[in-house]
Amino acid sequence: MREFLLESPVFNLQSALDAAVYGVDRLELCANFPEGGETPSAGMLKYLKSEVDIPVFVMIRPRGGDFCYSSKEWMVMKRDIEVLGGLGADGFVFGVLDEDGNVNKEACESLMRTANGKPCTFHRAFDACRDPKEALEDIISLGFARILTSGAKNSVTEGMGLIEELLDAAKDRIIIMPGGGSKAEHVTYLQKFPNFKEIHASCKTKTPAANRFVNPDVQFSSDPDDFNFHLGIDKKVVLEFKEAFNS
């Protein structure tokens, strides 16, 4: 029987710990969910590596917004890879584009060298690129282990056509990992592709916060629920993916 892998992005300690217990195979450790993920703290990674046995890949993204970074931002990304790699990161997740929406090969090559052989995922910067087919070949040539993609659309459901094309074109040269609104039913559908191996799914839910008092006159974000709930992992959804793997 073929084996499949479930990766989940986690944005706080409890969701990371829960994900490992519920059966997620690999964590993508991030900060700042509203921005789609940024580099997490060194302390978070160090503590998490002492608590879980599954691989932890770390997001390397110095800010939200676009993926066209300055040379000084590249240096920040390199320093983060050095620090977090020294604290036990099992892999890294990043992507850099140039001003015209092409893969910035110079920046990515430099970051890959800094990763020192640890596997790297080109994240959904891929979905913002000008030409996905050209980007695929560039990313393969750079030595990335996988591409995280929603098929250049807002969700895997919408981008399934391109995901199928990428799986066909990539063959066994790189892992194409669908992610972005992934559902267990996508696993069932994608199993017909012999080189489909991994899927990225948040399996997210809202868990009640511990605080019993909220000042109604103060709001720290645009979402009023942020003080009442934390982002968590839904065990039921994780199990749905696991069941789909065995279908």
Side-chain angles (χ1 to χ4, degrees), residues 232-245:
I233 293 284
D234 191 326
K235 182 178 182 179
K236 180 174 180 287
V237 177
V238 173
L239 292 176
E240 287 173 357
F241 274 95
K242 290 295 187 172
E243 289 170 7
F245 288 165

Side-chain angles (χ1 to χ4, degrees), residues 4-34:
F4 301 96
L5 181 147
L6 172 63
E7 175 186 272
S8 290
V10 289
F11 295 85
N12 58 61
L13 179 61
Q14 193 59 54
S15 64
L17 297 174
D18 288 344
V21 170
Y22 296 162
V24 170
D25 301 298
R26 185 174 66 225
L27 303 180
E28 181 197 59
L29 183 62
C30 313
N32 203 350
F33 172 72

Side-chain angles (χ1 to χ4, degrees), residues 153-195:
K153 300 290 185 181
N154 286 324
S155 70
V156 168
T157 298
E158 296 172 82
M160 186 59 75
L162 179 58
I163 290 170
E164 292 182 29
E165 292 179 29
L166 292 168
L167 284 164
D168 279 334
K171 301 190 186 304
D172 61 356
R173 296 181 296 159
I174 193 170
I175 294 168
I176 302 298
M177 180 170 64
S182 299
K183 302 174 183 177
E185 61 206 54
H186 292 135
V187 172
T188 306
Y189 177 77
L190 288 166
Q191 284 183 16
K192 66 184 180 182
F193 292 90
N195 54 332

Side-chain angles (χ1 to χ4, degrees), residues 27-160:
L27 303 180
E28 181 197 59
L29 183 62
C30 313
N32 203 350
F33 172 72
E35 286 286 358
E38 294 177 353
T39 307
S41 76
M44 170 74 95
L45 175 65
K46 185 174 182 178
Y47 183 78
L48 190 57
K49 286 295 294 181
S50 72
E51 293 288 316
V52 303
D53 294 325
I54 61 175
V56 180
F57 281 21
V58 179
M59 172 75 77
I60 303 295
R61 189 178 178 211
R63 57 166 171 77
D66 66 88
F67 303 101
C68 181
Y69 303 117
S70 69
S71 58
K72 291 183 179 180
E73 286 175 318
W74 300 357
M75 293 305 296
V76 170
M77 295 168 79
K78 290 181 70 170
R79 296 295 175 265
D80 281 334
I81 289 174
E82 290 171 350
V83 170
L84 297 169
L87 292 173
D90 296 288
F92 302 100
V93 182
F94 58 85
V96 186
L97 303 179
D98 66 17
E99 295 89 342
D100 298 313
N102 304 303
V103 173
N104 189 323
K105 290 186 279 189
E106 179 187 0
C108 289
E109 186 175 30
S110 177
L111 295 170
M112 291 284 288
R113 284 199 305 270
T114 306
N116 200 27
K118 291 190 176 183
C120 295
T121 300
F122 196 99
H123 61 35
R124 288 188 61 202
F126 180 86
D127 295 322
C129 74
R130 178 185 57 81
D131 184 335
K133 300 294 179 61
E134 181 180 313
L136 170 65
E137 298 304 325
D138 287 341
I139 293 166
I140 290 172
S141 71
L142 286 162
F144 281 86
R146 62 186 51 77
I147 295 172
L148 169 61
T149 178
S150 60
K153 300 290 185 181
N154 286 324
S155 70
V156 168
T157 298
E158 296 172 82
M160 186 59 75

